[in-house]
Amino acid sequence: MNPLRLAQIEMFCAVVEEGTVVAASRRLNCVASNVTARLKELELLVGQRLFLREKGRLTLTPEGRLFYQQAMPVVSGARGLTDLFSEGTPQGILNIGALDVALEGYLPRIVPEFLKACPGVELKMFLRPTYTLERMLADGEIDLALTDGPIVHPLMESRFAFREKLALAMPEGQKGARDGQHVFLFNTDCFYRRYFETWLERHEVSNAIIHTVESYDVILACVQAGLGISCVPHSIISQIKKRRREGITFTYPEDLKGSEVYFIWREPGLNDLGRRLMDYAPPHPDTHEK
């Protein structure tokens, strides 16, 4: 079955509202024969007579009345779509994916001001790990990502956002990572996990038992209980209440430098709403250097 076309439905409603084919054709700025042809097509498509034709008059059938009742919101909605962007203010649905460190300490400084300036924008923000963000960006699921960078990819561009420091979290009194120690980290698609695993290898920490725990609260509780160590972004530490830090030593080894977080988008260019959001990025991006 061929799908209905909006022009057919619009012409049908115009005839009902204007009373005649001629009046409807004037309203729609087309010839009357075109309106008549579209009405016949419409009746064939729906398999019902929508009008009774008597001596040049068109009268709605019961089926026609029902069709008009259902068609009015469709036509009205289509007219509304034409005027959707006529006010001149930014509108749209902007999809953003970000690392937890960006959502904790960086985006709260940007998003409120952006939404005040662009109240017609609906924002959808997703917390995802590094490699998932890159896949979502490549697949077009998000418009903009805040993730580890810079990225080297022929179809993507990036701009520096901020530097994230990493801390070594250990039970109070412990001086460094030990062989065979329990380590609490996020999942394998987390950049910081792979970074810290490499750091452990570089320090010749062997036989480490690595637990996958996607909760900083649980991770820190385990460290606080003396069960092992972890690697925690500084922006997360800054959000933790003092009592949750008791019994934990946070150090910042020189060779555990952390990473640079970038705005990343697909080529051929970032959309207007994404550019507007980046315009609110703080001028001094090292927001976690405290």
Side-chain angles (χ1 to χ4, degrees):
M1 179 177 177
N2 294 324
L4 298 179
R5 289 181 291 174
L6 180 61
Q8 296 167 331
I9 302 172
E10 188 176 21
M11 287 181 182
F12 168 80
C13 290
V15 170
V16 174
E17 292 161 5
E18 297 295 329
T20 67
V21 168
V22 174
S25 67
R26 292 197 193 102
R27 172 171 137 182
L28 298 172
N29 195 28
C30 65
V31 297
S33 59
N34 189 26
V35 176
T36 300
R38 299 293 85 76
L39 291 181
K40 289 180 179 178
E41 289 175 358
L42 183 61
E43 288 181 319
L44 285 173
L45 286 170
V46 300
Q48 294 289 338
R49 292 183 63 187
L50 302 177
F51 291 101
L52 292 175
R53 295 164 174 81
E54 300 177 294
K55 299 178 182 179
R57 294 180 56 194
L58 293 178
T59 305
L60 279 173
T61 63
E63 294 83 3
R65 293 190 197 99
L66 176 62
F67 191 85
Y68 179 64
Q69 183 184 63
Q70 299 293 318
M72 281 191 298
V74 175
V75 174
S76 176
R79 291 169 184 162
L81 288 174
T82 303
D83 301 328
L84 184 60
F85 303 103
S86 62
E87 295 181 5
T89 57
Q91 295 190 79
I93 300 173
L94 183 63
N95 291 343
I96 298 175
L99 298 175
D100 49 6
V101 295
L103 288 170
E104 287 290 340
Y106 187 73
L107 285 173
R109 301 180 61 184
I110 300 174
V111 172
E113 295 303 315
F114 169 73
L115 290 179
K116 284 179 185 176
C118 305
V121 174
E122 178 183 340
L123 200 59
K124 292 186 176 180
M125 306 192 76
F126 305 94
L127 169 61
R128 298 291 188 272
T130 299
Y131 302 106
T132 301
L133 288 173
E134 292 178 8
R135 192 270 306 162
M136 292 176 72
L137 197 61
D139 291 346
E141 296 177 28
I142 54 177
D143 304 297
L144 185 64
L146 268 160
T147 186
D148 305 288
I151 190 167
V152 180
H153 193 289
L155 300 179
M156 294 186 190
E157 280 291 336
S158 62
R159 193 187 92 181
F160 178 73
F162 65 92
R163 174 174 287 281
E164 180 61 50
K165 291 166 54 175
L166 291 178
L168 176 61
M170 300 176 292
E172 197 168 59
Q174 183 172 322
K175 300 301 182 182
R178 301 169 181 166
D179 287 348
Q181 189 162 36
H182 290 249
V183 180
F184 300 91
L185 297 171
F186 267 59
N187 209 343
T188 52
D189 57 357
C190 173
F191 173 81
Y192 296 133
R193 174 177 178 137
R194 298 190 185 186
Y195 187 90
F196 192 60
E197 286 176 341
T198 302
W199 185 88
L200 291 171
E201 290 174 5
R202 191 162 60 244
H203 283 258
E204 298 181 349
V205 176
S206 60
N207 301 318
I209 301 171
I210 299 179
H211 301 272
T212 299
V213 182
E214 295 198 341
S215 164
Y216 283 115
D217 285 341
V218 176
I219 286 173
L220 292 175
C222 291
V223 176
Q224 195 174 41
L227 298 176
I229 64 173
S230 185
C231 168
V232 183
H234 178 75
S235 59
I236 300 299
I237 298 171
S238 64
Q239 305 295 320
I240 300 169
K241 294 180 180 180
K242 185 177 179 180
R243 65 178 179 80
R244 298 301 304 275
R245 302 191 214 180
E246 293 175 357
I248 302 175
T249 298
F250 296 100
T251 64
Y252 294 88
E254 282 295 321
D255 60 347
L256 192 65
K257 294 181 179 179
S259 67
E260 293 181 343
V261 177
Y262 279 69
F263 290 105
I264 300 177
W265 61 91
R266 296 185 311 279
E267 285 289 18
L270 182 60
N271 57 55
D272 179 65
L273 293 181
R275 286 195 301 271
R276 285 175 181 268
L277 181 113
M278 286 203 303
D279 286 343
Y280 289 89
H284 304 292
D286 290 326
T287 56
H288 303 327
E289 295 290 336
K290 297 179 181 178

